[in-house]
């Protein structure tokens, strides 16, 4: 049995595509920082917990909240999953590669700088070092339809709309992928993506503090899913 934590942009898309059971702050009044609010809601027989809860206020100055949700809560999730023999599926972010290199591979040295990126990176590292059974997927999604009248044309990445990223993410879960994977679609600017749902969106330059290149190498994901889909035929 799989259970999803969170019903935000990506969580809602995953739940909509799969019908998997989920718990969230809006539906169940859970606080991921307080294990007592969610532990009792995990049914016996759960085999996978899919963590889609995060503080994604990318440049927030509230560092404590960022680290409490994105890192400390994940530490508790790892302990819970290990004790219950549950696989932890964790959605991370392409922002861990900010300041890194173009087309970053999973094996590249990350250089996160913002509180958001560092908090997510620390969680990734903790999971990889301490979790008995896990899948980490690094990716990014933008609101659908694109809600703004301008879009950055100088930020490049493998982001896409939630339904598209969710489809890939769900395939990775169903294929029982393990370890760390970059997931996404072809390299594009935010403006390129925005045009798909907002044909009149204007170009804009991103503020200087935002990373301009969070592109990832998707070879590992592509090869894994190809082998899995070939085996399904």
């Amino acid at each position: 049995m799989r259970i999803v934590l969170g019903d935000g942009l990506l969580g809602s898309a995953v739940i909509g595509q799969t019908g998997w059971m989920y718990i969230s702050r809006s539906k169940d009044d859970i606080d991921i920082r307080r294990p007592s609010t969610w532990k009792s809601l995990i049914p016996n027989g759960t085999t996978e917990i899919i963590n889609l809860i995060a503080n994604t206020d990318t440049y927030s100055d509230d560092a404590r909240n960022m680290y409490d949700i994105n890192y400390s809560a994940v530490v508790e999730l790892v302990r819970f999953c290990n004790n219950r023999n549950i696989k932890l599926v964790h959605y991370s972010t392409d922002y861990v590669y900010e300041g890194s290199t173009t087309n970053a591979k999973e094996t590249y040295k990350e250089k996160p700088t913002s509180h958001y990126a560092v908090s997510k990176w620390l969680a990734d590292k903790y999971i990889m070092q301490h979790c008995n059974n896990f899948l980490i997927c690094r990716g990014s999604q933008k609101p659908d339809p694109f809600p703004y009248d301008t879009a950055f044309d100088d930020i490049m990445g493998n982001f896409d709309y939630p339904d598209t990223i969710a489809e890939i993410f769900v395939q990775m879960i169903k294929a029982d992928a393990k370890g760390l994977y970059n997931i996404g679609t072809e390299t594009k600017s935010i403006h390129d993506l925005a045009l798909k749902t907002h044909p009149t969106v204007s170009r804009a330059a991103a503020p200087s503090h935002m990373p301009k290149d969070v592109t990832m190498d998707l070879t590992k994901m592509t090869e894994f899913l190809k082998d899995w889909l070939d085996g399904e035929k």
Side-chain angles (χ1 to χ4, degrees), residues 9 140-148 160-162 190 193-194 197-198:
L9 276 181
S140 182
Q141 59 285 329
K142 309 301 178 186
D144 181 11
F146 194 78
Y148 311 111
D160 215 305
Y161 289 122
I190 294 179
L193 178 63
T197 58
H198 191 335

Side-chain angles (χ1 to χ4, degrees), residues 103-195:
N103 296 323
K105 291 180 180 290
E106 291 88 347
T107 54
Y108 284 6
K109 183 176 178 59
E110 307 93 339
K111 299 177 182 178
T113 56
S114 66
H115 289 308
Y116 172 66
V118 173
S119 65
K120 296 292 284 183
W121 174 76
L122 286 171
D124 290 358
K125 294 301 179 185
Y126 189 89
I127 292 168
M128 288 188 282
Q129 291 173 7
H130 299 284
C131 195
N132 295 337
N133 188 6
F134 69 89
L135 167 65
I136 299 171
C137 289
R138 289 173 171 169
S140 182
Q141 59 285 329
K142 309 301 178 186
D144 181 11
F146 194 78
Y148 311 111
D149 291 328
T150 60
F152 302 137
D153 63 359
D154 55 349
I155 293 183
M156 305 298 295
N158 304 100
F159 32 70
D160 215 305
Y161 289 122
D163 280 345
T164 300
I165 297 299
E167 184 176 0
I168 298 169
F169 188 52
V170 168
Q171 285 183 331
M172 297 293 291
I173 295 169
K174 289 183 175 180
D176 196 27
K178 299 179 189 297
L180 173 64
Y181 285 83
N182 298 330
I183 69 170
T185 54
E186 76 284 351
T187 297
K188 65 188 79 63
S189 70
I190 294 179
H191 184 260
D192 292 334
L193 178 63
L195 283 171

Side-chain angles (χ1 to χ4, degrees), residues 3 5 42 46 48-51 77 80-81 86-89:
I3 185 165
L5 302 184
I42 306 296
T46 297
E48 293 179 67
I49 290 177
I50 300 159
N51 181 35
L77 266 175
F80 181 82
C81 288
I86 295 171
K87 180 179 180 179
L88 175 60
V89 178

